[in-house]
Amino acid sequence: MPVVKYPRAREPLYYEWDRRAQKCGLRHTIYAVNGDQYTGEWLDNLKHGKGTQIWKDTGAIYSGDWKFGKRDGYGSYSIPDPVTKEYKKVYTGWWENDQRVGRGVFFYPNGERYEGEWSNGLRSGWGQMFYKDGSVYEGQWRADQPSGQGVLRLPNENRYEGGWKDGKKHGPGKYFYLDKGQLLEGFWVEDIPKCGVLVDFGREEAPAPTQYPLPEIELHDPAGVLAEAQAMFDDSHN
């Protein structure tokens, strides 16, 4: 009985070509249609692992960790200076799902700097902000604004310690006028002191003390005054 041999079925060649085109593992520079380029590791055709991306339209560069096509892990993002063309670091720290998350340092174009915690790309948690005028804020942040408890130190060494809300002094706090040797302790609402007590504080060491010391004032009902101020603050806070 004759034996009939059938040719072995073969898949189309483009299947093989497609498998070879899939990016997985370490690859040399891959250029996108829009001119962006990426050099690094891949997984299932997605940027995954260590890699460097350069965006053609802005010249920005990111070098660090990737996860399934997005910046995720530790990495650094920089942009070129429009005049010198030298790269200036913008952010160094942790990322998640293409956004700043966890601890990181952000460098602003005007020379200011933030060091601290992030959430969903915004300053949130505990952090320090170094302002251009020399002021430094250290404390809690929420939704990109000082909110909670924090300390603001001014260039002349004066400082405020207390509550904040939406970037403004809000709640119980103390303002140290070290240049004059005075201390204001009270309650603030949207940056304005509404109630408080001003006393001399380190007046002997102050560089520019007032001409006369403040007279001591005896409060007959200090608890009642503070309770009234607290109630006023609670009403404005709510």
mmCIF file with all atom_site columns, all heavy atoms in Angstrom, residues 102-103 114 116-119 122-128 137-149:
data_model
loop_
_atom_site.group_PDB
_atom_site.id
_atom_site.type_symbol
_atom_site.label_atom_id
_atom_site.label_alt_id
_atom_site.label_comp_id
_atom_site.label_asym_id
_atom_site.label_entity_id
_atom_site.label_seq_id
_atom_site.pdbx_PDB_ins_code
_atom_site.Cartn_x
_atom_site.Cartn_y
_atom_site.Cartn_z
_atom_site.occupancy
_atom_site.B_iso_or_equiv
_atom_site.pdbx_formal_charge
_atom_site.auth_seq_id
_atom_site.auth_comp_id
_atom_site.auth_asym_id
_atom_site.auth_atom_id
_atom_site.pdbx_PDB_model_num
ATOM 1   N N   . GLY A 1 102 ? 6.400  59.257 46.538 1.00 0.00 ? 102 GLY A N   1
ATOM 2   C CA  . GLY A 1 102 ? 7.442  58.939 47.510 1.00 0.00 ? 102 GLY A CA  1
ATOM 3   C C   . GLY A 1 102 ? 8.383  60.119 47.699 1.00 0.00 ? 102 GLY A C   1
ATOM 4   O O   . GLY A 1 102 ? 7.988  61.270 47.553 1.00 0.00 ? 102 GLY A O   1
ATOM 5   N N   . ARG A 1 103 ? 9.628  59.849 48.002 1.00 0.00 ? 103 ARG A N   1
ATOM 6   C CA  . ARG A 1 103 ? 10.589 60.929 48.262 1.00 0.00 ? 103 ARG A CA  1
ATOM 7   C C   . ARG A 1 103 ? 11.320 61.328 46.980 1.00 0.00 ? 103 ARG A C   1
ATOM 8   O O   . ARG A 1 103 ? 11.657 60.477 46.155 1.00 0.00 ? 103 ARG A O   1
ATOM 9   C CB  . ARG A 1 103 ? 11.605 60.499 49.317 1.00 0.00 ? 103 ARG A CB  1
ATOM 10  C CG  . ARG A 1 103 ? 10.995 60.314 50.701 1.00 0.00 ? 103 ARG A CG  1
ATOM 11  C CD  . ARG A 1 103 ? 12.058 60.305 51.770 1.00 0.00 ? 103 ARG A CD  1
ATOM 12  N NE  . ARG A 1 103 ? 12.807 61.558 51.810 1.00 0.00 ? 103 ARG A NE  1
ATOM 13  C CZ  . ARG A 1 103 ? 12.405 62.645 52.449 1.00 0.00 ? 103 ARG A CZ  1
ATOM 14  N NH1 . ARG A 1 103 ? 11.251 62.652 53.088 1.00 0.00 ? 103 ARG A NH1 1
ATOM 15  N NH2 . ARG A 1 103 ? 13.139 63.740 52.451 1.00 0.00 ? 103 ARG A NH2 1
ATOM 16  N N   . TYR A 1 114 ? 12.565 71.866 46.203 1.00 0.00 ? 114 TYR A N   1
ATOM 17  C CA  . TYR A 1 114 ? 11.742 71.135 47.166 1.00 0.00 ? 114 TYR A CA  1
ATOM 18  C C   . TYR A 1 114 ? 12.345 69.758 47.390 1.00 0.00 ? 114 TYR A C   1
ATOM 19  O O   . TYR A 1 114 ? 12.653 69.041 46.443 1.00 0.00 ? 114 TYR A O   1
ATOM 20  C CB  . TYR A 1 114 ? 10.301 70.991 46.668 1.00 0.00 ? 114 TYR A CB  1
ATOM 21  C CG  . TYR A 1 114 ? 9.458  70.071 47.537 1.00 0.00 ? 114 TYR A CG  1
ATOM 22  C CD1 . TYR A 1 114 ? 8.901  70.536 48.726 1.00 0.00 ? 114 TYR A CD1 1
ATOM 23  C CD2 . TYR A 1 114 ? 9.243  68.745 47.169 1.00 0.00 ? 114 TYR A CD2 1
ATOM 24  C CE1 . TYR A 1 114 ? 8.139  69.694 49.526 1.00 0.00 ? 114 TYR A CE1 1
ATOM 25  C CE2 . TYR A 1 114 ? 8.476  67.901 47.962 1.00 0.00 ? 114 TYR A CE2 1
ATOM 26  C CZ  . TYR A 1 114 ? 7.925  68.373 49.144 1.00 0.00 ? 114 TYR A CZ  1
ATOM 27  O OH  . TYR A 1 114 ? 7.173  67.543 49.932 1.00 0.00 ? 114 TYR A OH  1
ATOM 28  N N   . GLY A 1 116 ? 11.371 66.353 49.555 1.00 0.00 ? 116 GLY A N   1
ATOM 29  C CA  . GLY A 1 116 ? 10.395 65.730 50.439 1.00 0.00 ? 116 GLY A CA  1
ATOM 30  C C   . GLY A 1 116 ? 9.539  64.703 49.745 1.00 0.00 ? 116 GLY A C   1
ATOM 31  O O   . GLY A 1 116 ? 9.943  64.082 48.761 1.00 0.00 ? 116 GLY A O   1
ATOM 32  N N   . GLU A 1 117 ? 8.327  64.564 50.250 1.00 0.00 ? 117 GLU A N   1
ATOM 33  C CA  . GLU A 1 117 ? 7.437  63.497 49.807 1.00 0.00 ? 117 GLU A CA  1
ATOM 34  C C   . GLU A 1 117 ? 6.463  64.008 48.746 1.00 0.00 ? 117 GLU A C   1
ATOM 35  O O   . GLU A 1 117 ? 6.093  65.189 48.731 1.00 0.00 ? 117 GLU A O   1
ATOM 36  C CB  . GLU A 1 117 ? 6.665  62.939 51.010 1.00 0.00 ? 117 GLU A CB  1
ATOM 37  C CG  . GLU A 1 117 ? 7.581  62.295 52.052 1.00 0.00 ? 117 GLU A CG  1
ATOM 38  C CD  . GLU A 1 117 ? 6.829  61.810 53.272 1.00 0.00 ? 117 GLU A CD  1
ATOM 39  O OE1 . GLU A 1 117 ? 5.957  62.544 53.767 1.00 0.00 ? 117 GLU A OE1 1
ATOM 40  O OE2 . GLU A 1 117 ? 7.106  60.693 53.738 1.00 0.00 ? 117 GLU A OE2 1
ATOM 41  N N   . TRP A 1 118 ? 6.043  63.052 47.892 1.00 0.00 ? 118 TRP A N   1
ATOM 42  C CA  . TRP A 1 118 ? 5.134  63.346 46.786 1.00 0.00 ? 118 TRP A CA  1
ATOM 43  C C   . TRP A 1 118 ? 4.003  62.325 46.751 1.00 0.00 ? 118 TRP A C   1
ATOM 44  O O   . TRP A 1 118 ? 4.153  61.198 47.224 1.00 0.00 ? 118 TRP A O   1
ATOM 45  C CB  . TRP A 1 118 ? 5.874  63.301 45.446 1.00 0.00 ? 118 TRP A CB  1
ATOM 46  C CG  . TRP A 1 118 ? 6.962  64.303 45.303 1.00 0.00 ? 118 TRP A CG  1
ATOM 47  C CD1 . TRP A 1 118 ? 8.214  64.227 45.838 1.00 0.00 ? 118 TRP A CD1 1
ATOM 48  C CD2 . TRP A 1 118 ? 6.913  65.536 44.597 1.00 0.00 ? 118 TRP A CD2 1
ATOM 49  N NE1 . TRP A 1 118 ? 8.954  65.332 45.503 1.00 0.00 ? 118 TRP A NE1 1
ATOM 50  C CE2 . TRP A 1 118 ? 8.183  66.157 44.735 1.00 0.00 ? 118 TRP A CE2 1
ATOM 51  C CE3 . TRP A 1 118 ? 5.938  66.182 43.848 1.00 0.00 ? 118 TRP A CE3 1
ATOM 52  C CZ2 . TRP A 1 118 ? 8.479  67.377 44.159 1.00 0.00 ? 118 TRP A CZ2 1
ATOM 53  C CZ3 . TRP A 1 118 ? 6.238  67.397 43.268 1.00 0.00 ? 118 TRP A CZ3 1
ATOM 54  C CH2 . TRP A 1 118 ? 7.484  67.981 43.424 1.00 0.00 ? 118 TRP A CH2 1
ATOM 55  N N   . SER A 1 119 ? 2.885  62.723 46.166 1.00 0.00 ? 119 SER A N   1
ATOM 56  C CA  . SER A 1 119 ? 1.768  61.813 45.935 1.00 0.00 ? 119 SER A CA  1
ATOM 57  C C   . SER A 1 119 ? 1.026  62.264 44.686 1.00 0.00 ? 119 SER A C   1
ATOM 58  O O   . SER A 1 119 ? 0.630  63.435 44.584 1.00 0.00 ? 119 SER A O   1
ATOM 59  C CB  . SER A 1 119 ? 0.819  61.804 47.143 1.00 0.00 ? 119 SER A CB  1
ATOM 60  O OG  . SER A 1 119 ? -0.286 60.938 46.911 1.00 0.00 ? 119 SER A OG  1
ATOM 61  N N   . LEU A 1 122 ? 2.166  65.520 43.124 1.00 0.00 ? 122 LEU A N   1
ATOM 62  C CA  . LEU A 1 122 ? 2.064  66.746 43.906 1.00 0.00 ? 122 LEU A CA  1
ATOM 63  C C   . LEU A 1 122 ? 2.820  66.606 45.225 1.00 0.00 ? 122 LEU A C   1
ATOM 64  O O   . LEU A 1 122 ? 2.957  65.503 45.760 1.00 0.00 ? 122 LEU A O   1
ATOM 65  C CB  . LEU A 1 122 ? 0.592  67.080 44.201 1.00 0.00 ? 122 LEU A CB  1
ATOM 66  C CG  . LEU A 1 122 ? -0.323 67.263 42.991 1.00 0.00 ? 122 LEU A CG  1
ATOM 67  C CD1 . LEU A 1 122 ? -1.756 67.495 43.459 1.00 0.00 ? 122 LEU A CD1 1
ATOM 68  C CD2 . LEU A 1 122 ? 0.147  68.415 42.117 1.00 0.00 ? 122 LEU A CD2 1
ATOM 69  N N   . ARG A 1 123 ? 3.287  67.740 45.754 1.00 0.00 ? 123 ARG A N   1
ATOM 70  C CA  . ARG A 1 123 ? 3.946  67.730 47.052 1.00 0.00 ? 123 ARG A CA  1
ATOM 71  C C   . ARG A 1 123 ? 2.919  67.366 48.126 1.00 0.00 ? 123 ARG A C   1
ATOM 72  O O   . ARG A 1 123 ? 1.961  68.104 48.345 1.00 0.00 ? 123 ARG A O   1
ATOM 73  C CB  . ARG A 1 123 ? 4.566  69.098 47.334 1.00 0.00 ? 123 ARG A CB  1
ATOM 74  C CG  . ARG A 1 123 ? 5.703  69.471 46.409 1.00 0.00 ? 123 ARG A CG  1
ATOM 75  C CD  . ARG A 1 123 ? 6.100  70.930 46.545 1.00 0.00 ? 123 ARG A CD  1
ATOM 76  N NE  . ARG A 1 123 ? 5.065  71.816 46.029 1.00 0.00 ? 123 ARG A NE  1
ATOM 77  C CZ  . ARG A 1 123 ? 5.189  73.123 45.930 1.00 0.00 ? 123 ARG A CZ  1
ATOM 78  N NH1 . ARG A 1 123 ? 6.290  73.727 46.330 1.00 0.00 ? 123 ARG A NH1 1
ATOM 79  N NH2 . ARG A 1 123 ? 4.212  73.860 45.433 1.00 0.00 ? 123 ARG A NH2 1
ATOM 80  N N   . SER A 1 124 ? 3.121  66.250 48.773 1.00 0.00 ? 124 SER A N   1
ATOM 81  C CA  . SER A 1 124 ? 2.202  65.782 49.811 1.00 0.00 ? 124 SER A CA  1
ATOM 82  C C   . SER A 1 124 ? 2.977  64.946 50.807 1.00 0.00 ? 124 SER A C   1
ATOM 83  O O   . SER A 1 124 ? 3.738  64.056 50.418 1.00 0.00 ? 124 SER A O   1
ATOM 84  C CB  . SER A 1 124 ? 1.064  64.947 49.211 1.00 0.00 ? 124 SER A CB  1
ATOM 85  O OG  . SER A 1 124 ? 0.211  65.739 48.407 1.00 0.00 ? 124 SER A OG  1
ATOM 86  N N   . GLY A 1 125 ? 2.767  65.243 52.105 1.00 0.00 ? 125 GLY A N   1
ATOM 87  C CA  . GLY A 1 125 ? 3.517  64.560 53.143 1.00 0.00 ? 125 GLY A CA  1
ATOM 88  C C   . GLY A 1 125 ? 4.417  65.545 53.866 1.00 0.00 ? 125 GLY A C   1
ATOM 89  O O   . GLY A 1 125 ? 4.019  66.670 54.156 1.00 0.00 ? 125 GLY A O   1
ATOM 90  N N   . TRP A 1 126 ? 5.635  65.127 54.141 1.00 0.00 ? 126 TRP A N   1
ATOM 91  C CA  . TRP A 1 126 ? 6.599  65.979 54.835 1.00 0.00 ? 126 TRP A CA  1
ATOM 92  C C   . TRP A 1 126 ? 7.676  66.426 53.867 1.00 0.00 ? 126 TRP A C   1
ATOM 93  O O   . TRP A 1 126 ? 8.213  65.615 53.101 1.00 0.00 ? 126 TRP A O   1
ATOM 94  C CB  . TRP A 1 126 ? 7.244  65.229 55.996 1.00 0.00 ? 126 TRP A CB  1
ATOM 95  C CG  . TRP A 1 126 ? 8.057  66.127 56.902 1.00 0.00 ? 126 TRP A CG  1
ATOM 96  C CD1 . TRP A 1 126 ? 9.389  66.403 56.819 1.00 0.00 ? 126 TRP A CD1 1
ATOM 97  C CD2 . TRP A 1 126 ? 7.583  66.884 58.009 1.00 0.00 ? 126 TRP A CD2 1
ATOM 98  N NE1 . TRP A 1 126 ? 9.777  67.275 57.792 1.00 0.00 ? 126 TRP A NE1 1
ATOM 99  C CE2 . TRP A 1 126 ? 8.687  67.603 58.553 1.00 0.00 ? 126 TRP A CE2 1
ATOM 100 C CE3 . TRP A 1 126 ? 6.337  67.044 58.599 1.00 0.00 ? 126 TRP A CE3 1
ATOM 101 C CZ2 . TRP A 1 126 ? 8.568  68.440 59.654 1.00 0.00 ? 126 TRP A CZ2 1
ATOM 102 C CZ3 . TRP A 1 126 ? 6.220  67.876 59.705 1.00 0.00 ? 126 TRP A CZ3 1
ATOM 103 C CH2 . TRP A 1 126 ? 7.334  68.558 60.213 1.00 0.00 ? 126 TRP A CH2 1
ATOM 104 N N   . GLY A 1 127 ? 8.008  67.728 53.900 1.00 0.00 ? 127 GLY A N   1
ATOM 105 C CA  . GLY A 1 127 ? 9.032  68.191 52.983 1.00 0.00 ? 127 GLY A CA  1
ATOM 106 C C   . GLY A 1 127 ? 9.560  69.564 53.332 1.00 0.00 ? 127 GLY A C   1
ATOM 107 O O   . GLY A 1 127 ? 8.998  70.278 54.170 1.00 0.00 ? 127 GLY A O   1
ATOM 108 N N   . GLN A 1 128 ? 10.656 69.925 52.660 1.00 0.00 ? 128 GLN A N   1
ATOM 109 C CA  . GLN A 1 128 ? 11.300 71.221 52.820 1.00 0.00 ? 128 GLN A CA  1
ATOM 110 C C   . GLN A 1 128 ? 11.266 71.965 51.494 1.00 0.00 ? 128 GLN A C   1
ATOM 111 O O   . GLN A 1 128 ? 11.576 71.397 50.454 1.00 0.00 ? 128 GLN A O   1
ATOM 112 C CB  . GLN A 1 128 ? 12.748 71.063 53.254 1.00 0.00 ? 128 GLN A CB  1
ATOM 113 C CG  . GLN A 1 128 ? 12.960 70.640 54.688 1.00 0.00 ? 128 GLN A CG  1
ATOM 114 C CD  . GLN A 1 128 ? 14.435 70.554 55.023 1.00 0.00 ? 128 GLN A CD  1
ATOM 115 O OE1 . GLN A 1 128 ? 15.192 69.766 54.431 1.00 0.00 ? 128 GLN A OE1 1
ATOM 116 N NE2 . GLN A 1 128 ? 14.883 71.365 55.954 1.00 0.00 ? 128 GLN A NE2 1
ATOM 117 N N   . TYR A 1 137 ? 10.667 76.654 54.253 1.00 0.00 ? 137 TYR A N   1
ATOM 118 C CA  . TYR A 1 137 ? 9.517  76.057 54.934 1.00 0.00 ? 137 TYR A CA  1
ATOM 119 C C   . TYR A 1 137 ? 9.779  74.579 55.116 1.00 0.00 ? 137 TYR A C   1
ATOM 120 O O   . TYR A 1 137 ? 10.159 73.879 54.173 1.00 0.00 ? 137 TYR A O   1
ATOM 121 C CB  . TYR A 1 137 ? 8.220  76.250 54.149 1.00 0.00 ? 137 TYR A CB  1
ATOM 122 C CG  . TYR A 1 137 ? 7.067  75.440 54.726 1.00 0.00 ? 137 TYR A CG  1
ATOM 123 C CD1 . TYR A 1 137 ? 6.346  75.918 55.817 1.00 0.00 ? 137 TYR A CD1 1
ATOM 124 C CD2 . TYR A 1 137 ? 6.735  74.198 54.209 1.00 0.00 ? 137 TYR A CD2 1
ATOM 125 C CE1 . TYR A 1 137 ? 5.306  75.179 56.357 1.00 0.00 ? 137 TYR A CE1 1
ATOM 126 C CE2 . TYR A 1 137 ? 5.698  73.447 54.749 1.00 0.00 ? 137 TYR A CE2 1
ATOM 127 C CZ  . TYR A 1 137 ? 4.983  73.939 55.824 1.00 0.00 ? 137 TYR A CZ  1
ATOM 128 O OH  . TYR A 1 137 ? 3.967  73.197 56.364 1.00 0.00 ? 137 TYR A OH  1
ATOM 129 N N   . GLU A 1 138 ? 9.557  74.107 56.336 1.00 0.00 ? 138 GLU A N   1
ATOM 130 C CA  . GLU A 1 138 ? 9.702  72.681 56.623 1.00 0.00 ? 138 GLU A CA  1
ATOM 131 C C   . GLU A 1 138 ? 8.477  72.212 57.382 1.00 0.00 ? 138 GLU A C   1
ATOM 132 O O   . GLU A 1 138 ? 8.143  72.760 58.438 1.00 0.00 ? 138 GLU A O   1
ATOM 133 C CB  . GLU A 1 138 ? 10.956 72.404 57.447 1.00 0.00 ? 138 GLU A CB  1
ATOM 134 C CG  . GLU A 1 138 ? 11.156 70.917 57.758 1.00 0.00 ? 138 GLU A CG  1
ATOM 135 C CD  . GLU A 1 138 ? 12.444 70.637 58.511 1.00 0.00 ? 138 GLU A CD  1
ATOM 136 O OE1 . GLU A 1 138 ? 13.165 71.614 58.811 1.00 0.00 ? 138 GLU A OE1 1
ATOM 137 O OE2 . GLU A 1 138 ? 12.728 69.462 58.800 1.00 0.00 ? 138 GLU A OE2 1
ATOM 138 N N   . GLY A 1 139 ? 7.798  71.225 56.840 1.00 0.00 ? 139 GLY A N   1
ATOM 139 C CA  . GLY A 1 139 ? 6.605  70.740 57.516 1.00 0.00 ? 139 GLY A CA  1
ATOM 140 C C   . GLY A 1 139 ? 5.749  69.890 56.607 1.00 0.00 ? 139 GLY A C   1
ATOM 141 O O   . GLY A 1 139 ? 6.240  69.267 55.664 1.00 0.00 ? 139 GLY A O   1
ATOM 142 N N   . GLN A 1 140 ? 4.451  69.895 56.886 1.00 0.00 ? 140 GLN A N   1
ATOM 143 C CA  . GLN A 1 140 ? 3.509  69.046 56.179 1.00 0.00 ? 140 GLN A CA  1
ATOM 144 C C   . GLN A 1 140 ? 2.968  69.739 54.935 1.00 0.00 ? 140 GLN A C   1
ATOM 145 O O   . GLN A 1 140 ? 2.808  70.959 54.907 1.00 0.00 ? 140 GLN A O   1
ATOM 146 C CB  . GLN A 1 140 ? 2.354  68.661 57.115 1.00 0.00 ? 140 GLN A CB  1
ATOM 147 C CG  . GLN A 1 140 ? 2.789  67.794 58.288 1.00 0.00 ? 140 GLN A CG  1
ATOM 148 C CD  . GLN A 1 140 ? 1.660  67.536 59.270 1.00 0.00 ? 140 GLN A CD  1
ATOM 149 O OE1 . GLN A 1 140 ? 1.035  68.465 59.773 1.00 0.00 ? 140 GLN A OE1 1
ATOM 150 N NE2 . GLN A 1 140 ? 1.381  66.267 59.546 1.00 0.00 ? 140 GLN A NE2 1
ATOM 151 N N   . TRP A 1 141 ? 2.690  68.910 53.931 1.00 0.00 ? 141 TRP A N   1
ATOM 152 C CA  . TRP A 1 141 ? 2.129  69.396 52.662 1.00 0.00 ? 141 TRP A CA  1
ATOM 153 C C   . TRP A 1 141 ? 0.899  68.565 52.309 1.00 0.00 ? 141 TRP A C   1
ATOM 154 O O   . TRP A 1 141 ? 0.801  67.386 52.663 1.00 0.00 ? 141 TRP A O   1
ATOM 155 C CB  . TRP A 1 141 ? 3.147  69.277 51.528 1.00 0.00 ? 141 TRP A CB  1
ATOM 156 C CG  . TRP A 1 141 ? 4.345  70.159 51.684 1.00 0.00 ? 141 TRP A CG  1
ATOM 157 C CD1 . TRP A 1 141 ? 5.385  69.983 52.544 1.00 0.00 ? 141 TRP A CD1 1
ATOM 158 C CD2 . TRP A 1 141 ? 4.629  71.356 50.962 1.00 0.00 ? 141 TRP A CD2 1
ATOM 159 N NE1 . TRP A 1 141 ? 6.305  70.987 52.411 1.00 0.00 ? 141 TRP A NE1 1
ATOM 160 C CE2 . TRP A 1 141 ? 5.870  71.850 51.439 1.00 0.00 ? 141 TRP A CE2 1
ATOM 161 C CE3 . TRP A 1 141 ? 3.975  72.052 49.959 1.00 0.00 ? 141 TRP A CE3 1
ATOM 162 C CZ2 . TRP A 1 141 ? 6.457  73.005 50.939 1.00 0.00 ? 141 TRP A CZ2 1
ATOM 163 C CZ3 . TRP A 1 141 ? 4.551  73.205 49.456 1.00 0.00 ? 141 TRP A CZ3 1
ATOM 164 C CH2 . TRP A 1 141 ? 5.772  73.670 49.939 1.00 0.00 ? 141 TRP A CH2 1
ATOM 165 N N   . ARG A 1 142 ? -0.006 69.203 51.583 1.00 0.00 ? 142 ARG A N   1
ATOM 166 C CA  . ARG A 1 142 ? -1.169 68.500 51.055 1.00 0.00 ? 142 ARG A CA  1
ATOM 167 C C   . ARG A 1 142 ? -1.576 69.153 49.753 1.00 0.00 ? 142 ARG A C   1
ATOM 168 O O   . ARG A 1 142 ? -1.768 70.374 49.708 1.00 0.00 ? 142 ARG A O   1
ATOM 169 C CB  . ARG A 1 142 ? -2.329 68.525 52.047 1.00 0.00 ? 142 ARG A CB  1
ATOM 170 C CG  . ARG A 1 142 ? -3.537 67.682 51.602 1.00 0.00 ? 142 ARG A CG  1
ATOM 171 C CD  . ARG A 1 142 ? -4.715 67.803 52.551 1.00 0.00 ? 142 ARG A CD  1
ATOM 172 N NE  . ARG A 1 142 ? -4.352 67.413 53.904 1.00 0.00 ? 142 ARG A NE  1
ATOM 173 C CZ  . ARG A 1 142 ? -4.357 68.257 54.927 1.00 0.00 ? 142 ARG A CZ  1
ATOM 174 N NH1 . ARG A 1 142 ? -4.681 69.524 54.740 1.00 0.00 ? 142 ARG A NH1 1
ATOM 175 N NH2 . ARG A 1 142 ? -4.020 67.849 56.139 1.00 0.00 ? 142 ARG A NH2 1
ATOM 176 N N   . ALA A 1 143 ? -1.687 68.359 48.698 1.00 0.00 ? 143 ALA A N   1
ATOM 177 C CA  . ALA A 1 143 ? -2.124 68.871 47.385 1.00 0.00 ? 143 ALA A CA  1
ATOM 178 C C   . ALA A 1 143 ? -1.280 70.047 46.928 1.00 0.00 ? 143 ALA A C   1
ATOM 179 O O   . ALA A 1 143 ? -1.800 71.070 46.475 1.00 0.00 ? 143 ALA A O   1
ATOM 180 C CB  . ALA A 1 143 ? -3.597 69.247 47.415 1.00 0.00 ? 143 ALA A CB  1
ATOM 181 N N   . ASP A 1 144 ? 0.054  69.934 47.096 1.00 0.00 ? 144 ASP A N   1
ATOM 182 C CA  . ASP A 1 144 ? 1.020  70.899 46.589 1.00 0.00 ? 144 ASP A CA  1
ATOM 183 C C   . ASP A 1 144 ? 1.092  72.191 47.405 1.00 0.00 ? 144 ASP A C   1
ATOM 184 O O   . ASP A 1 144 ? 1.710  73.160 46.948 1.00 0.00 ? 144 ASP A O   1
ATOM 185 C CB  . ASP A 1 144 ? 0.748  71.245 45.125 1.00 0.00 ? 144 ASP A CB  1
ATOM 186 C CG  . ASP A 1 144 ? 2.027  71.238 44.278 1.00 0.00 ? 144 ASP A CG  1
ATOM 187 O OD1 . ASP A 1 144 ? 2.940  70.459 44.589 1.00 0.00 ? 144 ASP A OD1 1
ATOM 188 O OD2 . ASP A 1 144 ? 2.110  72.012 43.313 1.00 0.00 ? 144 ASP A OD2 1
ATOM 189 N N   . GLN A 1 145 ? 0.456  72.237 48.597 1.00 0.00 ? 145 GLN A N   1
ATOM 190 C CA  . GLN A 1 145 ? 0.468  73.441 49.424 1.00 0.00 ? 145 GLN A CA  1
ATOM 191 C C   . GLN A 1 145 ? 0.833  73.073 50.865 1.00 0.00 ? 145 GLN A C   1
ATOM 192 O O   . GLN A 1 145 ? 0.483  71.990 51.336 1.00 0.00 ? 145 GLN A O   1
ATOM 193 C CB  . GLN A 1 145 ? -0.907 74.116 49.421 1.00 0.00 ? 145 GLN A CB  1
ATOM 194 C CG  . GLN A 1 145 ? -1.348 74.661 48.086 1.00 0.00 ? 145 GLN A CG  1
ATOM 195 C CD  . GLN A 1 145 ? -0.587 75.910 47.689 1.00 0.00 ? 145 GLN A CD  1
ATOM 196 O OE1 . GLN A 1 145 ? 0.131  76.511 48.472 1.00 0.00 ? 145 GLN A OE1 1
ATOM 197 N NE2 . GLN A 1 145 ? -0.751 76.317 46.430 1.00 0.00 ? 145 GLN A NE2 1
ATOM 198 N N   . PRO A 1 146 ? 1.523  73.980 51.589 1.00 0.00 ? 146 PRO A N   1
ATOM 199 C CA  . PRO A 1 146 ? 1.744  73.730 53.016 1.00 0.00 ? 146 PRO A CA  1
ATOM 200 C C   . PRO A 1 146 ? 0.405  73.608 53.743 1.00 0.00 ? 146 PRO A C   1
ATOM 201 O O   . PRO A 1 146 ? -0.415 74.525 53.708 1.00 0.00 ? 146 PRO A O   1
ATOM 202 C CB  . PRO A 1 146 ? 2.519  74.971 53.479 1.00 0.00 ? 146 PRO A CB  1
ATOM 203 C CG  . PRO A 1 146 ? 3.191  75.487 52.245 1.00 0.00 ? 146 PRO A CG  1
ATOM 204 C CD  . PRO A 1 146 ? 2.209  75.211 51.139 1.00 0.00 ? 146 PRO A CD  1
ATOM 205 N N   . SER A 1 147 ? 0.180  72.480 54.384 1.00 0.00 ? 147 SER A N   1
ATOM 206 C CA  . SER A 1 147 ? -1.062 72.234 55.119 1.00 0.00 ? 147 SER A CA  1
ATOM 207 C C   . SER A 1 147 ? -0.760 71.284 56.263 1.00 0.00 ? 147 SER A C   1
ATOM 208 O O   . SER A 1 147 ? -0.188 70.215 56.046 1.00 0.00 ? 147 SER A O   1
ATOM 209 C CB  . SER A 1 147 ? -2.141 71.630 54.218 1.00 0.00 ? 147 SER A CB  1
ATOM 210 O OG  . SER A 1 147 ? -2.592 72.559 53.250 1.00 0.00 ? 147 SER A OG  1
ATOM 211 N N   . GLY A 1 148 ? -1.149 71.692 57.475 1.00 0.00 ? 148 GLY A N   1
ATOM 212 C CA  . GLY A 1 148 ? -0.840 70.904 58.658 1.00 0.00 ? 148 GLY A CA  1
ATOM 213 C C   . GLY A 1 148 ? 0.053  71.703 59.585 1.00 0.00 ? 148 GLY A C   1
ATOM 214 O O   . GLY A 1 148 ? -0.181 72.883 59.829 1.00 0.00 ? 148 GLY A O   1
ATOM 215 N N   . GLN A 1 149 ? 1.090  71.068 60.090 1.00 0.00 ? 149 GLN A N   1
ATOM 216 C CA  . GLN A 1 149 ? 2.036  71.726 60.979 1.00 0.00 ? 149 GLN A CA  1
ATOM 217 C C   . GLN A 1 149 ? 3.354  71.980 60.242 1.00 0.00 ? 149 GLN A C   1
ATOM 218 O O   . GLN A 1 149 ? 3.847  71.102 59.532 1.00 0.00 ? 149 GLN A O   1
ATOM 219 C CB  . GLN A 1 149 ? 2.305  70.860 62.212 1.00 0.00 ? 149 GLN A CB  1
ATOM 220 C CG  . GLN A 1 149 ? 1.103  70.709 63.133 1.00 0.00 ? 149 GLN A CG  1
ATOM 221 C CD  . GLN A 1 149 ? 0.682  72.032 63.742 1.00 0.00 ? 149 GLN A CD  1
ATOM 222 O OE1 . GLN A 1 149 ? 1.480  72.774 64.308 1.00 0.00 ? 149 GLN A OE1 1
ATOM 223 N NE2 . GLN A 1 149 ? -0.612 72.337 63.646 1.00 0.00 ? 149 GLN A NE2 1
#
